[in-house]
Amino acid sequence: MTNNQNTTAFFDLIRHGEPAGGPMFRGSKDDPLSDTGWQQMNAAIRDDDQWDVIITSPLLRCRLFAEQLAEQRQIPLHQEPRLREIAFGDWEGRTSENIMADTPEALTRFWSDPVRYPPPGGEAITEFRQRVSRAWQDWQTQAAGKRVLVVCHGGVIRMLLAEVMGIPTERSFSALTVPYACRSRIRVDISEHGLLSCLQTHGA
């Protein structure tokens, strides 16, 4: 645990690229990236990017790219199980169009209020946010003063940005769009006055 005073860290968040099988409610379904997904991720990384550590979800669509990048640039890599995507239960492997054709009201209610209307058999969004929040709290301290790349999922990024921006859980899925290979940057300052985090860029 790092106890440095007056430190500034930068967390670059990147969502995985397109997985094999295309768009669907994937959740814990462990598909690797498609060829297009690899192209999206490689295009999102710049030659002048510099990081001290890479943190990745353990799921293949994140981990395989993170492992490759860490090896290429000789950067320490950590798998963080708490940053895996939310489990969508009965919706996993199904497209939005398929669900809308079957139970349109269920999908509409989920996007408008996922707290009250979670996917059937899925992970409660309050529990999802809690586990992502615990990981975020730990890494803000452990990576104090460092430049960090976090390779993770759309749902995870929404939860992290909701934490930083104070977005209520019931609006956390609808407040932001997070396309494939989308990058965001969070600045975290730790001083004798406490910890302050702010969103610097999103979609850049």
Side-chain angles (χ1 to χ4, degrees):
M1 189 74 68
T2 302
N3 293 312
N4 292 347
Q5 294 294 313
N6 300 312
T7 63
T8 297
F10 293 95
F11 288 81
D12 289 329
L13 316 177
I14 184 168
R15 185 189 177 192
H16 60 78
E18 177 193 81
M24 66 177 69
F25 282 90
R26 189 165 271 100
S28 58
K29 191 173 183 291
D30 203 9
D31 295 325
L33 292 175
S34 66
D35 290 343
T36 297
W38 278 101
Q39 293 169 7
Q40 291 168 334
M41 295 298 281
N42 288 322
I45 303 301
R46 300 184 288 267
D47 291 340
D48 61 351
D49 283 324
Q50 295 184 356
W51 296 291
D52 302 304
V53 63
I54 299 175
I55 303 167
T56 183
S57 159
L59 296 180
L60 292 176
R61 56 192 183 272
C62 299
R63 178 171 57 83
L64 295 181
F65 176 79
E67 288 175 344
Q68 174 181 280
L69 184 64
E71 182 176 358
Q72 289 174 344
R73 301 204 177 188
Q74 294 298 294
I75 303 171
L77 175 67
H78 299 273
Q79 287 190 48
E80 175 50 80
R82 293 173 294 183
L83 296 184
R84 68 190 185 279
E85 183 62 289
I86 188 170
F88 286 109
D90 295 349
W91 290 356
E92 297 213 348
R94 301 179 64 187
T95 64
S96 296
E97 292 76 14
N98 178 266
I99 297 168
M100 286 293 288
D102 186 18
T103 53
E105 71 287 348
L107 193 56
T108 302
R109 288 173 179 172
F110 167 73
W111 287 115
S112 63
D113 189 351
V115 175
R116 292 179 60 193
Y117 303 105
E123 182 179 6
I125 193 171
T126 51
E127 295 178 2
F128 174 51
R129 182 164 180 171
Q130 286 171 4
R131 69 167 162 86
V132 172
S133 176
R134 286 194 293 268
W136 174 235
Q137 291 168 8
D138 289 346
W139 281 105
Q140 284 180 99
T141 305
Q142 292 183 46
K146 295 184 178 180
R147 297 160 299 182
V148 184
L149 175 65
V150 182
V151 185
C152 57
H153 308 271
V156 171
I157 292 172
R158 288 182 172 96
M159 294 304 107
L160 291 171
L161 299 188
E163 287 290 307
V164 172
M165 301 174 69
I167 298 172
T169 303
E170 58 269 20
R171 292 205 61 241
S172 56
F173 263 83
S174 59
L176 295 163
T177 60
V178 186
Y180 291 140
C182 175
R183 286 180 57 158
S184 308
R185 172 169 285 188
I186 299 171
R187 172 174 171 155
V188 177
D189 293 293
I190 300 177
S191 72
E192 64 273 17
H193 305 295
L195 185 151
L196 178 65
S197 59
C198 67
L199 176 65
Q200 286 200 316
T201 60
H202 177 65

